[in-house]
Amino acid sequence: METYTTDAVGFIRYLVDQLPKEADAVFRRAEAGETVIQLPTIAAVETMYRIDKREQINGVPLSVSPRDVIDGIESYLPVTIVKSGLEDLTAISQLISDLSIHDAMIVASHEVHETDGIITSDSEIRELDLPIVWD
């Protein structure tokens, strides 16, 4: 089964139904149980932070709380939380000279878990020779 890593932007845009076509198609397949979307812990935390600090995302008013995100992940949202471990730290150590800590953690999660692609609009990640899902 195909597996993808999503960053916070991909996940938040999913939550407000504002994904571009290609990324939306992956999330729809995950809703149908046809693929897996992994959400690294750092991306889950960033999602909760942004939801707490903003009133809208991409022009869409937010009506959820950080706790709602956790409840949704536990109950019905089509993502699986993945934790960082020693393998991630090793991968991150090779990436932090070229990427922000956050981006290095997303890329490391993708590499360690050998996912099929990264759902992201992040320009720094998009510059790498990695399979990106967005447009």
Side-chain angles (χ1 to χ4, degrees):
M1 182 178 292
E2 288 185 334
T3 304
Y4 295 88
T5 300
T6 189
D7 68 358
V9 172
F11 186 48
I12 291 170
R13 294 278 297 269
Y14 165 76
L15 293 175
V16 297
D17 199 27
Q18 294 290 309
L19 282 169
K21 187 176 182 177
E22 187 178 349
D24 188 58
V26 173
F27 271 94
R28 299 296 165 226
R29 289 195 311 269
E31 289 174 339
E34 299 168 358
T35 193
V36 173
I37 298 177
Q38 295 183 351
L39 180 68
T41 303
I42 186 67
V45 171
E46 183 181 355
T47 298
M48 292 186 309
Y49 178 83
R50 288 184 180 198
I51 284 174
D52 187 59
K53 301 297 181 193
R54 295 186 180 178
E55 293 181 16
Q56 60 179 321
I57 298 289
N58 204 37
V60 177
L62 291 173
S63 60
V64 297
S65 71
R67 182 67 221 185
D68 294 333
V69 173
I70 295 168
D71 292 343
I73 291 169
E74 289 178 331
S75 302
Y76 64 89
L77 292 171
V79 296
T80 301
I81 297 290
V82 291
K83 299 175 186 176
S84 297
L86 189 56
E87 285 183 271
D88 296 79
L89 292 176
T90 301
I92 290 166
S93 72
Q94 298 169 357
L95 297 165
I96 57 174
S97 61
D98 298 320
L99 297 170
S100 68
I101 292 169
H102 171 268
D103 290 350
M105 291 179 78
I106 299 297
V107 172
S109 184
H110 158 71
E111 291 177 349
V112 167
H113 296 281
E114 298 178 348
T115 62
D116 294 290
I118 303 173
I119 302 169
T120 186
S121 65
D122 187 284
S123 60
E124 287 185 16
I125 295 174
R126 291 173 70 106
E127 289 177 8
L128 303 174
D129 187 27
L130 298 170
I132 302 298
V133 177
W134 191 254
D135 301 321

